[in-house]
Amino acid sequence: TAQRIDGKAVATQVTEAVRLAVAERLSAGKRAPAIAFILVGDDPASASYVRGKKRACEQTGVRALSVELPADIAEDALLAVIDRLNADAAVDGILLQLPLPAHLPPQPLLERIDPAKDVDGLHPYNVGRLACRMPLSRPCTPRGVMTLLAAYGIDPTGRKAVVVGASNLVGRPQALELMLARATVTVCHRATLDLADEVARADILVVAAGEPNLIKGAWIKPGATVIDVGINRLADGSLCGDVEFEAASQRAAFITPVPGGVGPMTIASLMQNILEAAERRDPA
Ligand code: NAD
């Protein structure tokens, strides 16, 4: 049965490394990295994500600023908030918490963030840097997946990697990360004709679809590494991923649980991104 990949433990190690680097900055007379969280409206899930990210800031010594805005804010007003934070020399990173209310299309807002302060790595400039093998700010969840693979000694070089899900947030940048790590990459999505057949070829499988039990245990190639990014809340309130965990564990060599797998890594990657953004802006 598969070895469980402990995302909580790896995330703690990453966060601790960031804490030490922030402390070193302070003893060298530099300021703490600072991140501004923009939260629009009162979506409870978004508020809880921002709370989790702020807790990580407290643990690492990153300074967290909060900009809380009403759900009915006009696009112009939100653009002006982003412009002000872009111009603020004391702010190293800007995070616009998604999803936004329906009247605010996210893309023009994400593109307004100074790419140097885009700690989510979602600005097309940063996605483009990753696509042409010169990553700067890397999207947090796919970066977290790569950190997990490295922590368990799983080298993607020459392996067949299959990504299920092609979103801007996870699937697409995940495929770029795996290509950068020299895997042979296939990306599956809703229009994929034979998902079972694609999944069965994967030495490394990363699933980010958002559908419970989409991936059957019987599809998993024996000895594969299974990374389940999905987070689904069931009717009884419990969380599960996109992979049939028990059945997949019988075939895989490594597997991430949900919760406790990829989830904690996303915030850990954000802490790395904010530290690196501050270091790039203020290297000396
Ligand atoms: P999304 O809805 O934007 O994209 C889902 C992708 O999966 C799409 O490309 C779609 O084509 C594909 N897909 C959906 N159903 C499919 C099916 N039946 N067959 C094949 N492909 C299918 O979602 P997202 O933002 O990429 O998030 C995906 C999942 O990952 C969600 O469960 C989300 O909660 C989770 N997530 C977790 C973290 C984390 O661990 N921190 C971060 C982001 C997202």
Side-chain angles (χ1 to χ4, degrees):
T1 153
Q3 182 179 349
R4 280 195 190 206
I5 293 179
D6 187 345
K8 255 182 98 173
V10 178
T12 301
Q13 287 165 17
V14 169
T15 304
E16 179 59 12
V18 172
R19 189 186 69 76
L20 288 171
V22 170
E24 261 175 48
R25 276 179 66 87
L26 295 179
S27 31
K30 297 191 232 171
R31 62 194 168 66
I35 178 170
F37 293 99
I38 305 176
L39 183 58
V40 182
D42 44 20
D43 176 45
S46 294
S48 132
Y49 284 131
V50 169
R51 274 198 303 278
K53 292 169 189 177
K54 283 186 181 163
R55 255 197 309 276
C57 290
E58 275 168 35
Q59 285 163 7
T60 51
V62 167
R63 195 158 74 91
L65 314 171
S66 269
V67 184
E68 286 172 23
L69 300 167
D72 63 354
I73 188 170
E75 185 180 22
D76 279 358
L78 186 45
L79 288 168
V81 168
I82 294 171
D83 289 343
R84 175 172 65 73
L85 294 169
N86 282 340
D88 187 339
V91 171
D92 300 293
I94 301 171
L95 189 146
L96 177 62
Q97 182 62 46
L98 304 177
L100 294 168
H103 72 285
L104 296 170
Q107 205 59 30
L109 295 157
L110 290 175
E111 291 192 28
R112 191 72 157 233
I113 296 173
D114 178 350
K117 297 190 178 188
D118 167 41
V119 285
D120 251 348
L122 299 178
H123 190 291
Y125 175 80
N126 282 315
V127 179
R129 290 290 303 216
L130 178 59
C132 59
R133 297 177 282 182
M134 294 180 286
L136 280 173
S137 215
R138 296 156 62 188
C140 294
T141 301
R143 179 177 189 173
V145 169
M146 301 314 286
T147 304
L148 278 183
L149 294 177
Y152 282 80
I154 300 159
D155 179 2
T157 307
R159 317 281 299 279
K160 286 200 191 307
V162 174
V163 180
V164 180
S167 72
N168 290 345
L169 185 63
V170 187
R172 273 164 211 266
Q174 187 68 69
L176 294 172
E177 285 280 0
L178 287 160
M179 263 200 278
L180 186 58
R182 304 182 69 226
T184 300
V185 181
T186 299
V187 182
C188 304
H189 42 74
R190 273 194 197 86
T192 296
L193 294 181
D194 191 343
L195 186 60
D197 182 62
E198 304 292 348
V199 166
R201 297 171 199 279
D203 300 309
I204 298 173
L205 176 67
V206 182
V207 187
E211 199 178 307
N213 298 323
L214 173 65
I215 306 299
K216 309 300 170 204
W219 298 353
I220 304 298
K221 180 172 174 176
T225 293
V226 177
I227 307 288
D228 191 349
V229 182
I231 302 179
N232 308 291
R233 194 169 289 281
L234 300 179
D236 66 0
S238 64
L239 294 180
C240 76
D242 295 345
V243 178
E244 284 184 346
F245 182 81
E246 295 303 336
S249 297
Q250 298 308 309
R251 299 172 67 91
F254 294 93
I255 191 165
T256 58
V258 178
V262 176
M265 293 304 297
T266 297
I267 296 185
S269 302
L270 176 66
M271 295 300 112
Q272 292 178 300
N273 281 353
I274 179 72
L275 170 68
E276 290 162 5
E279 294 279 300
R280 278 196 297 266
R281 292 183 67 243
D282 175 25

